[in-house]
Amino acid sequence: MKAVARIIDRITHGMHLMGGFFLIAMMVMTLFDVFTRGLFTITNGTVDWTILGGIEMVKYSLLFTVLFILPHSVSRSQVIVDLFTERLSSQAKNRLEAVYIFCFGLMGVGMSYGFYHLVEEAAMSYETTQDLLIPLTYFYGVACFATAMLAVSAVAYTSRLLFCGKVES
């Protein structure tokens, strides 16, 4: 069990780092797009360094940022309100947290299922992004993997909570 948990933690940590990369890339793309549009306006269209598909790149970077950061953060970034749980035993608190995290796993399963069907639909219709004409099957496939990892990570953390007690992250 510990070896599987370690593998899941390493995969989700790598995804977390990639989510950080996408966040920084999104910020850089946004700043560069604002700069080039401003330059285009100031020069009355003489200097046209605007990026084709900049909005699309930012949109999909945001998608990947959120989906890649969630699997690693689901067990580490939950807000706990002690007002409702202060009188509960530690075992009851662990069970309550396990139910809560398990619901994240169910959300991941539902999202993964939806993205899986979007992969099939995009493949059958040859759907692409509007500006860059990149097949959407790639984006939906990566999103399907990321949400599946959210489900796996949440279920693994839930099982550790239920069978091993409080897990320090």
Side-chain angles (χ1 to χ4, degrees):
M1 177 70 182
K2 287 185 180 183
V4 172
R6 243 178 293 154
I7 291 169
I8 291 170
D9 284 343
R10 285 185 181 159
I11 291 170
T12 58
H13 185 260
M15 290 173 65
H16 190 79
L17 294 175
M18 288 178 64
F21 168 78
F22 280 115
L23 181 65
I24 292 169
M26 183 177 57
M27 180 188 66
V28 169
M29 281 186 281
T30 302
L31 288 173
F32 189 72
D33 195 39
V34 168
F35 172 75
T36 56
R37 287 175 189 263
L39 187 62
F40 181 81
T41 303
I42 291 171
T43 62
N44 291 324
T46 307
V47 178
D48 186 8
W49 289 351
T50 55
I51 304 170
L52 179 66
I55 294 172
E56 276 183 1
M57 289 189 285
V58 169
K59 180 171 75 170
Y60 291 112
S61 292
L62 177 61
L63 173 71
F64 291 153
T65 297
V66 171
L67 293 181
F68 279 29
I69 288 176
L70 269 177
H72 186 69
S73 301
V74 74
S75 62
R76 292 162 179 79
S77 302
Q78 302 304 321
V79 176
I80 298 171
V81 180
D82 289 337
L83 177 68
F84 302 112
T85 61
E86 68 184 20
R87 293 190 179 154
L88 295 176
S89 67
S90 62
Q91 187 177 19
K93 287 179 186 179
N94 282 348
R95 287 184 181 161
L96 189 61
E97 185 178 1
V99 168
Y100 181 74
I101 297 297
F102 186 73
C103 289
F104 271 98
L106 291 177
M107 181 184 74
V109 167
M111 291 172 64
S112 186
Y113 179 78
F115 279 120
Y116 176 76
H117 284 290
L118 285 174
V119 168
E120 290 179 341
E121 288 176 19
M124 285 189 285
S125 65
Y126 301 109
E127 190 177 3
T128 62
T129 60
Q130 186 174 357
D131 294 336
L132 300 175
L133 301 176
I134 300 170
L136 285 177
T137 53
Y138 302 147
F139 295 108
Y140 294 149
V142 171
C144 182
F145 167 75
T147 53
M149 283 306 300
L150 169 63
V152 167
S153 175
V155 169
Y157 186 70
T158 299
S159 64
R160 283 188 279 177
L161 274 174
L162 290 176
F163 301 118
C164 302
K166 183 66 179 169
V167 178
E168 295 299 322
S169 300

